[in-house]
Amino acid sequence: MYKEQVDMTRVPRHVAIIMDGNGRWAKALGKERTYGHAEGAQRAIEVMTAAVDLGIEYLTLYTFSTENWNRPEAEVSAIMSLLLKYLEEELFIKRNARFRVIGEIDRLPKPVQDVVRYMEERTKDHTATCMVLALSYSSKWEMTNAVKQIAAKVKDGEMSIDDITDKDIDANLSTSFMPDPDLMIRTGGEQRLSNYLLWQCAYSEFYFTETYWPDFREEDLCKAIVDYQNRQRRFGKTGEQVEDKK
Ligand code: IPE
Ligand code: IPE
Ligand code: MG
């Protein structure tokens, strides 16, 4: 059991997940892609619960990318309906979990916008894991926005060009309320970021698994964490320097 191997004193603060493989999982069973999304939605809720138990502070789930708007309309609307079905306040209340969204929320159907805004407000004082859904999100969209916001401040004389630091860029991203991901997991076999948290992953540890998202369970999360805990994060230093600090 990987769960027993997790060192609870060194759990990653922020775990980001690219939940990929729903369509292929369903296809392998001879079912519609949307069946895979429905099953995947259940895994998202289960993994959120597991994250609470593990004491993970932030869990950011890539749920729908800017590029995913280019999928067939029926698939897009099926995913939107699943959001309405699975975003249950009860569970978040029971687990004291917080809910946040990042992304171009205005593009979502109005009922989905209402639900996510309500959930954010309803759970804002909760202190367990913050589950962040990236919805209609892409890093390039987010970084373009940050550039515009900073440029506007310079134009208004609020800051000068020479004062701009990486902290200002952090502060103008939609993720400004949380630390960068320690661990980035991608299911479904692909080894790419697909426009997810590009800036924030500068020093994240990557974990790729062939497992399709609808098959990803608490044990798989624990396995990824154990793998992460066996790595040495050097942040540009030498291994000896990092060892000495211990
Ligand atoms: C991930 O699964 C879910 C979304 C992108 C919404 P996919 O739907 O991409 O599944 P595959 O990659 O086609 O198997
Ligand atoms: C990434 O998966 C987006 C989400 C998981 C929401 P995709 O299936 O859209 O990624 P690509 O297009 O294959 O890279
Ligand atoms: Mg995919």
Side-chain angles (χ1 to χ4, degrees):
M1 290 283 279
Y2 286 102
K3 195 174 180 184
E4 288 150 21
Q5 292 176 42
V6 172
D7 177 350
M8 294 298 278
T9 66
R10 293 190 304 118
V11 171
R13 284 187 72 192
H14 179 177
V15 176
I17 308 184
I18 301 174
M19 309 183 288
D20 196 22
N22 292 350
R24 282 164 288 160
W25 179 86
K27 211 173 149 193
L29 293 173
K31 308 232 187 215
E32 295 288 322
R33 294 178 55 84
T34 48
Y35 178 70
H37 294 313
E39 199 65 24
Q42 293 186 39
R43 288 304 94 68
I45 296 293
E46 286 167 25
V47 165
M48 187 275 272
T49 309
V52 173
D53 292 341
L54 287 162
I56 293 167
E57 287 176 57
Y58 297 92
L59 178 72
T60 38
L61 302 177
Y62 205 7
T63 307
F64 192 82
S65 71
T66 303
E67 288 75 19
N68 288 151
W69 285 115
N70 298 320
R71 290 195 178 192
E73 215 180 293
E75 181 169 340
V76 171
S77 69
I79 293 171
M80 295 301 150
S81 306
L82 284 168
L83 285 166
L84 294 177
K85 184 170 170 203
Y86 281 95
L87 284 177
E88 273 286 330
E89 61 180 310
E90 258 69 27
L91 180 71
F92 285 80
I93 293 166
K94 209 164 94 197
R95 305 308 301 251
N96 193 26
R98 220 170 111 205
F99 176 83
R100 291 287 300 253
V101 276
I102 54 171
E104 215 174 346
I105 304 311
D106 299 348
R107 283 186 77 178
L108 299 170
K110 185 71 172 47
V112 178
Q113 290 186 34
D114 291 346
V115 156
V116 296
R117 291 299 179 217
Y118 172 79
M119 289 284 291
E120 284 190 321
E121 180 58 27
R122 181 71 184 79
T123 64
K124 70 178 193 306
D125 297 323
H126 290 185
T127 52
T129 306
C130 182
M131 179 173 101
V132 184
L133 292 193
L135 283 176
S136 189
Y137 172 92
S138 70
S139 275
K140 289 196 175 183
W141 160 79
E142 179 186 47
M143 288 197 238
T144 306
N145 263 354
V147 169
K148 285 182 189 167
Q149 285 166 31
I150 294 169
K153 281 177 204 155
V154 171
K155 190 174 165 218
D156 295 346
E158 273 177 57
M159 68 194 295
S160 76
I161 289 178
D162 292 337
D163 291 341
I164 300 172
T165 67
D166 61 339
K167 297 282 170 282
D168 294 300
I169 297 171
D170 283 337
N172 285 281
L173 295 174
S174 57
T175 51
S176 60
F177 62 95
M178 55 185 166
D180 286 344
D182 299 295
L183 173 61
M184 164 65 75
I185 299 172
R186 182 171 187 143
T187 65
E190 314 295 355
Q191 303 198 355
R192 54 179 175 247
L193 279 176
S194 304
N195 221 345
Y196 193 42
L197 304 176
L198 305 183
W199 169 273
Q200 296 88 336
C201 278
Y203 256 111
S204 303
E205 296 295 329
F206 288 83
Y207 181 90
F208 298 104
T209 170
E210 293 291 323
T211 305
Y212 292 140
W213 177 251
D215 285 330
F216 192 89
R217 295 180 187 268
E218 183 179 29
E219 262 297 279
D220 300 278
L221 175 67
C222 291
K223 186 178 179 193
I225 293 173
V226 169
D227 191 284
Y228 161 88
Q229 290 181 331
N230 285 319
R231 301 182 193 185
Q232 185 186 48
R233 300 184 77 186
R234 291 191 281 277
F235 298 101
K237 295 185 177 168
T238 66
E240 290 74 17
Q241 282 177 299
V242 175
E243 275 298 312
D244 287 350
K245 264 195 76 188
K246 271 187 183 166

